[in-house]
Amino acid sequence: MTATANGTDAARDIVVIKDLRKSFGNVEVLKGIDLAVAAGEAVVIVGSSGSGKSTCLRCINRLEEPTGGRITVGGQEITGRKVDLNALRRRIGMVFQGINLYPHMTALGNVTLAMRKVAGLSKAAAEEKARHHLDLVGLAHRADAYPAQLSGGQQQRVGIARAMALEPQVMLFDEPTSALDPELVGEVLNVMMRTKQLGMTMIVVTHEMQFAREVADRVVFMDEGKVLDVGTPHEILVEPRHQRIRDFVNRTRT
Amino acid sequence: MDEIIRYFFDFSRLSGYWPDILHGFLITVEMSILTVAIGIPLGLLLAVLRLYGIRPLNALIIFYIDLFRSIPQLVLIILAYFALPFSGLVLSPFTATVVALSMVLSAFAEEIFWAGITSVPKGQWEAGRSTGLGFNQTLAYVVLPQAIRLGIPPLTNRAIGISKGTTLGSVVAVPELLNVTSSIQSNVANPTALTVGAMLFLALFLPFVRFTRWLERAYGHPRH
């Protein structure tokens, strides 16, 4: 009931992207993206490689600088010169295809670094919270292991814990399982599913169609820098309305 | 065999010279420590400054490191001692040698740190920045520890190589170990003093090499 106090759904949108454009030199890779993601929603972005999915995701925490358009996160404009990037990024968790754990720190050290240096928690408080988040990804017993001592799947779960521990308003997943051996993909997807069940707002770029079908509230299909279609997993991946999407789905099914 | 012992191990000839030798050794130790203690941090500072990409500053830094990597240390020591006074800066032989060697070491150290920093993958920066760490924080906590670790073996080599250049201080009459022991050699017409010098150089640099091996391990992180 209280959710309707502001009347519109727009009030519940955590991420709003309007006419997002991005060029690298003369090549325009994003040609006007519009997308709104509501609180607690899991949106999966699919599309062939080169369609601009990752670039779009990376614009949301400004690892890529948008060339045009507007993005708001939690009602705050993130584009523009006056934005405090560090404060913005603290509210946006990111999980990378390349995992990018700090190799010189333990799993616990990886999770606590930003909690201590950005959120300003004491060592003890950060470690307690970090252990909780490592527990959520099933790695409490590996807190003192270095990344090189962990499997790829375990590393990526630490990567998720590192981002989640800052309690972001939205989590961005940039092809989180693409660099993993096939048998390690499942454990990471399970953790992502649990993250969704905890009520986290998620935007996921992935090639895992089964994950998209089972976990996504909505699927966005990107093609050549534009959003070709948005809908339920069924509308996009099971009975696609566009020939291009049907071709894509048939290709990925094999 | 007797010949060798008579020429190189006749310690009786050195009585009365031991205080000089000890003094020379201490000066060599001091110069080596100062060269490393100034040269390496200065190199790190230059590498970090270069990272901010301020064009005119970077041009200066690159000029500095190219210059000091090209000029022979001996020439630099002579210039520092004999040429600087013309610009009003008079340095003692000791200071001139330390300044010249530290600058050379800092130039090489800068290149080593720079190579280390640029070989840390871009994803490490992105991971740090994505959690809200600022540029300086990401540099300090994420990138530099990895870069420094990569730099330790080549830095060790450079630091030892250049510290051994303290012997070049003899050209401006620094009473360092080689200078002292070679004068004794001429005085007593016997090279035993040089044997002692060589052993003392070993005594100085072997622990140094050992220490840096330990450093490599301490800074390392498990691979398996």
Side-chain angles (χ1 to χ4, degrees):
Chain A
M1 280 290 117
T2 50
T4 57
N6 283 334
T8 60
D9 271 346
R12 291 178 53 240
D13 288 337
I14 296 287
V15 177
V16 180
I17 301 173
K18 285 212 168 87
D19 194 33
L20 174 65
R21 289 169 186 278
K22 171 70 184 174
S23 301
F24 292 106
N26 289 329
V27 185
E28 193 172 38
V29 290
L30 296 179
K31 301 168 181 167
I33 304 286
D34 292 289
L35 180 67
V37 179
E41 194 181 21
V43 170
V44 172
I45 305 176
V46 299
S48 24
S49 57
S51 58
K53 318 180 288 285
S54 283
T55 306
C56 176
L57 199 70
R58 289 163 59 85
C59 281
I60 298 172
N61 69 353
R62 281 183 60 190
L63 281 182
E64 299 293 351
E65 203 58 48
T67 326
R70 292 174 54 194
I71 301 175
T72 58
V73 175
Q76 271 176 294
E77 188 94 27
I78 69 135
T79 37
R81 285 183 184 281
K82 277 174 284 177
V83 176
D84 179 350
L85 269 186
N86 299 333
L88 160 78
R89 286 174 175 149
R90 209 202 123 174
R91 298 189 284 121
I92 303 172
M94 180 127 188
V95 175
F96 299 89
Q97 178 177 4
I99 306 176
N100 301 340
L101 290 189
Y102 314 132
H104 58 300
M105 292 182 191
T106 60
L108 193 67
N110 268 272
V111 180
T112 52
L113 180 65
M115 295 165 79
R116 296 174 58 191
K117 304 299 174 189
V118 182
L121 293 185
S122 71
K123 189 165 188 263
E127 287 186 353
E128 193 189 330
K129 220 164 143 189
R131 285 184 198 279
H132 168 69
H133 282 278
L134 284 172
D135 192 34
L136 286 179
V137 301
L139 287 172
H141 63 295
R142 301 295 274 148
D144 297 319
Y146 284 87
Q149 298 167 315
L150 300 171
S151 72
Q154 290 175 326
Q155 288 183 30
Q156 192 56 293
R157 283 148 65 194
V158 174
I160 295 172
R162 173 171 70 181
M164 286 287 286
L166 291 166
E167 297 171 347
Q169 290 177 306
V170 55
M171 285 278 289
L172 311 176
F173 293 85
D174 187 8
E175 302 198 25
T177 58
S178 298
L180 299 178
D181 292 338
E183 77 267 23
L184 301 177
V185 168
E187 60 185 87
V188 173
L189 295 181
N190 281 339
V191 165
M192 289 166 66
M193 230 176 274
R194 220 173 306 149
T195 307
K196 152 89 171 139
Q197 284 157 5
L198 289 172
M200 180 54 67
T201 309
M202 296 164 59
I203 307 177
V204 183
V205 169
T206 187
H207 293 289
E208 297 293 331
M209 292 305 138
Q210 197 187 340
F211 177 82
R213 280 196 296 273
E214 289 172 7
V215 180
D217 295 305
R218 278 187 302 153
V219 175
V220 175
F221 188 92
M222 278 185 68
D223 187 52
E224 293 180 344
K226 287 184 185 142
V227 174
L228 186 59
D229 201 3
V230 185
T232 64
H234 188 86
E235 289 168 331
I236 304 297
L237 299 172
V238 183
E239 289 176 23
R241 294 172 280 222
H242 294 262
Q243 186 57 43
R244 285 195 75 101
I245 305 181
R246 271 195 289 277
D247 293 344
F248 175 83
V249 169
N250 286 335
R251 273 203 310 278
T252 53
R253 197 166 275 156
T254 50
Chain B
M1 195 62 195
D2 284 350
E3 295 257 291
I4 294 179
I5 289 175
R6 187 150 48 84
Y7 278 120
F8 294 99
F9 297 95
D10 186 0
F11 297 104
S12 64
R13 309 288 285 272
L14 296 181
S15 58
Y17 287 112
W18 289 110
D20 288 347
I21 294 175
L22 179 67
H23 187 241
F25 177 65
L26 290 180
I27 286 188
T28 295
V29 172
E30 269 178 61
M31 286 202 296
S32 302
I33 291 175
L34 280 174
T35 299
V36 172
I38 298 169
I40 288 181
L42 184 60
L44 180 60
L45 178 73
L46 290 172
V48 167
L49 283 177
R50 189 174 167 191
L51 200 56
Y52 289 87
I54 304 161
R55 286 259 175 100
L57 185 64
N58 280 12
L60 264 176
I61 292 173
I62 289 167
F63 176 72
Y64 174 93
I65 58 176
D66 286 353
L67 187 72
F68 286 107
R69 286 192 305 161
S70 316
I71 301 183
Q73 297 162 32
L74 184 61
V75 175
L76 213 54
I77 291 171
I78 292 171
L79 283 178
Y81 184 64
F82 292 108
L84 276 185
F86 288 104
S87 65
L89 189 61
V90 181
L91 301 178
S92 72
F94 180 94
T95 311
T97 307
V98 168
V99 165
L101 294 178
S102 319
M103 287 175 115
V104 173
L105 180 56
S106 72
F108 281 103
E110 192 280 345
E111 277 299 271
I112 291 167
F113 284 123
W114 180 252
I117 290 171
T118 51
S119 64
V120 172
K122 190 168 145 251
Q124 292 289 312
W125 284 99
E126 289 187 348
R129 300 304 304 273
S130 79
T131 57
L133 292 171
F135 179 89
N136 291 330
Q137 288 178 312
T138 308
L139 178 64
Y141 301 120
V142 177
V143 176
L144 274 187
Q146 299 182 54
I148 290 172
R149 192 179 153 270
L150 287 170
I152 286 177
L155 270 177
T156 308
N157 287 337
R158 275 299 162 193
I160 292 169
I162 291 167
S163 297
K164 283 193 285 192
T166 51
T167 52
L168 299 172
S170 54
V171 296
V172 290
V174 179
E176 49 74 44
L177 187 55
L178 182 65
N179 194 357
V180 170
T181 49
S182 62
S183 321
I184 297 171
Q185 176 200 223
S186 335
N187 286 354
V188 302
N190 180 290
T192 301
L194 285 180
T195 309
V196 173
M199 290 189 304
L200 287 175
F201 275 114
L202 268 182
L204 170 60
F205 287 109
L206 261 187
F208 190 47
V209 176
R210 287 277 137 200
F211 167 71
T212 50
R213 284 210 191 286
W214 172 82
L215 207 61
E216 270 169 53
R217 269 202 310 277
Y219 251 86
H221 41 77
R223 298 237 139 245
H224 300 288

